[in-house]
């Protein structure tokens, strides 16, 4: 799995880089952004994954979130993968913005024609971490995960399905209960078929109720002026209710007047990185 460096820019004393590699899970070339803080030149560092939302590439977070300053100060490597395989020629993958390209939903598809390439869950939780551990000064037992919207869903699911793999988890405006919202129902019907039990394996609200892993401290930020919140796509209240029922600590912060954009994310990214630092640097 050779890496090709696509770009490298000095940033807050470290380097924001983008690499490309051939993914065995996805059967195509994939790019990811990685911020290497100054500390990574001398020693291994903890790693924080960011999963992006619908239509995004690795570039949205790299260019807009403003995470590098805080990652530099705290000595944390931050990695932002793409949101789906690309250019695989899967029928229908470029027909809608919420299915296919840019909309992998962090699942391992079981249905044709998606199942050969749309395996973002295994890519994010297994293939990419293994590659990073071989290629960069990463502390393999010190990793956390966060994300936005579809990526917030992905972060919560990856954490809840793999107890102990991540030290902490947080999300911005996550799709909390995809089995109950139009985005999730469309994606899951196409990627996973009719088996509703399979859908629940990629639904954070459902997974919380069966979680038996180490204690988690979950942080969720949600803008009150988010149009997708009022449209019923995000459903944070169902997730927090499930957490309360399970006695799993969760902090849901409703941020007055903020929408679904990276203006919202950049306003609170410092809080999220410091949330993870409490556990990554312990």
């Amino acid at each position: 799995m050779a890496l090709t460096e696509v770009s490298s820019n000095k940033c807050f004393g470290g380097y924001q880089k983008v690499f490309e590699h051939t993914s065995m899970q996805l059967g195509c070339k994939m790019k990811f952004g990685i911020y290497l803080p100054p500390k990574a030149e001398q020693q291994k560092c903890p790693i924080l994954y960011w999963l992006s939302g619908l239509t995004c590439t690795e570039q949205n977070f790299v260019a807009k979130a403003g995470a590098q300053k805080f990652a530099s100060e705290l000595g944390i490597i931050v990695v932002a993968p793409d949101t789906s395989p690309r250019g695989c020629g899967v029928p229908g993958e470029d027909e809608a913005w919420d299915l296919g390209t840019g909309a992998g939903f962090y699942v391992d598809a079981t249905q044709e024609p998606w199942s050969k390439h749309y395996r973002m869950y295994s890519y994010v939780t297994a293939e990419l971490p293994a590659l990073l551990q071989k290629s960069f000064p990463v502390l393999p037992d010190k990793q956390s995960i966060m994300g936005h919207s579809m990526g917030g869903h992905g972060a919560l699911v990856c954490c809840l399905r793999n107890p102990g793999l991540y030290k902490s988890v947080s999300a911005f405006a996550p799709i909390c209960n995809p089995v109950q919202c139009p985005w999730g129902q469309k994606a899951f019907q196409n990627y996973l078929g009719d088996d509703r039990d399979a859908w629940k394996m990629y639904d954070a609200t459902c997974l919380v109720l069966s979680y038996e892993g180490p204690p988690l401290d979950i942080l969720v930020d949600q803008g009150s002026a988010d149009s997708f919140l009022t449209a019923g796509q995000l459903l944070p209240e169902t997730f927090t209710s499930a957490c309360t029922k399970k006695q799993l600590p969760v902090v849901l912060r409703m941020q007055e007047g903020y929408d679904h954009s990276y203006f919202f994310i950049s306003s609170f990214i410092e809080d999220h990185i410091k949330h993870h630092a409490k556990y990554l640097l312990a």
Side-chain angles (χ1 to χ4, degrees):
M1 289 192 288
L3 286 173
T4 301
E5 188 173 290
V6 176
S7 64
S8 178
N9 300 93
K10 192 160 188 178
C11 186
F12 293 102
Y15 284 90
Q16 176 63 60
K17 297 175 179 280
V18 174
F19 287 90
E20 185 177 69
H21 73 107
T22 298
S23 166
M24 297 298 104
Q25 283 288 347
L26 306 178
C28 65
K29 289 184 176 181
M30 291 291 287
K31 291 178 181 176
F32 63 87
I34 181 168
Y35 180 72
L36 297 165
K39 191 176 181 180
E41 295 182 12
Q42 282 84 40
Q43 64 189 82
K44 291 185 176 182
C45 297
I47 186 167
L48 177 56
Y49 291 92
W50 170 271
L51 304 185
S52 293
L54 288 163
T55 75
C56 290
T57 70
E58 80 288 340
Q59 284 297 324
N60 298 72
F61 179 79
V62 166
K64 296 180 179 180
Q68 293 91 345
K69 179 179 187 293
F70 311 111
S72 172
E73 292 169 355
L74 293 164
I76 297 173
I77 294 170
V78 181
V79 172
D82 203 347
T83 55
S84 75
R86 292 184 186 268
C88 295
V90 177
E93 68 179 350
D94 294 320
E95 292 179 4
W97 65 274
D98 56 357
L99 183 72
T101 301
F105 264 86
Y106 305 101
V107 305
D108 285 350
T110 58
Q111 304 299 301
E112 296 294 341
W114 311 100
S115 55
K116 181 179 178 181
H117 296 286
Y118 280 74
R119 299 182 52 80
M120 287 299 294
Y121 174 78
S122 289
Y123 176 73
V124 166
T125 59
E127 184 181 14
L128 183 58
L131 175 64
L132 295 170
Q133 289 166 23
K134 291 178 182 177
S135 308
F136 299 98
V138 170
L139 290 169
D141 61 337
K142 294 277 190 176
Q143 61 178 10
S144 291
I145 193 164
M146 60 179 178
H148 170 234
S149 194
M150 177 185 74
H153 140 77
L156 293 169
V157 166
C158 290
C159 183
L160 291 167
R161 282 187 57 165
N162 297 277
L165 183 61
Y166 304 98
K167 296 296 184 186
S168 52
V169 61
S170 72
F172 291 83
I175 302 171
C176 290
N177 195 189
V179 303
Q180 298 292 345
C181 80
W183 277 341
Q185 290 167 352
K186 178 179 179 178
F188 288 179
Q189 183 67 53
N190 279 274
Y191 295 145
L192 304 173
D194 295 327
D195 183 357
R196 294 297 177 112
D197 288 335
W199 292 23
K200 293 176 183 178
M201 292 300 296
Y202 294 103
D203 184 300
T205 299
C206 299
L207 291 168
V208 157
L209 295 173
S210 59
Y211 180 77
E212 298 295 343
L216 281 175
D217 180 7
I218 304 170
L219 172 63
V220 177
D221 271 320
Q222 174 63 61
S224 68
D226 186 332
S227 60
F228 299 120
L229 175 67
T230 54
Q233 296 283 17
L234 307 177
L235 304 176
E237 65 284 352
T238 63
F239 178 69
T240 55
S241 295
C243 289
T244 300
K245 186 175 181 179
K246 190 66 176 178
Q247 296 184 313
L248 198 65
V250 59
V251 174
L252 171 62
R253 307 192 306 185
M254 293 299 295
Q255 303 292 1
E256 185 64 32
Y258 285 89
D259 59 19
H260 200 72
S261 71
Y262 269 83
F263 294 109
F264 161 55
I265 293 166
S266 63
S267 298
F268 301 103
I269 193 68
E270 178 180 7
D271 292 353
H272 283 246
I273 293 175
K274 288 182 175 178
H275 167 79
H276 294 290
K278 288 187 296 185
Y279 302 96
L280 291 173
L281 304 179

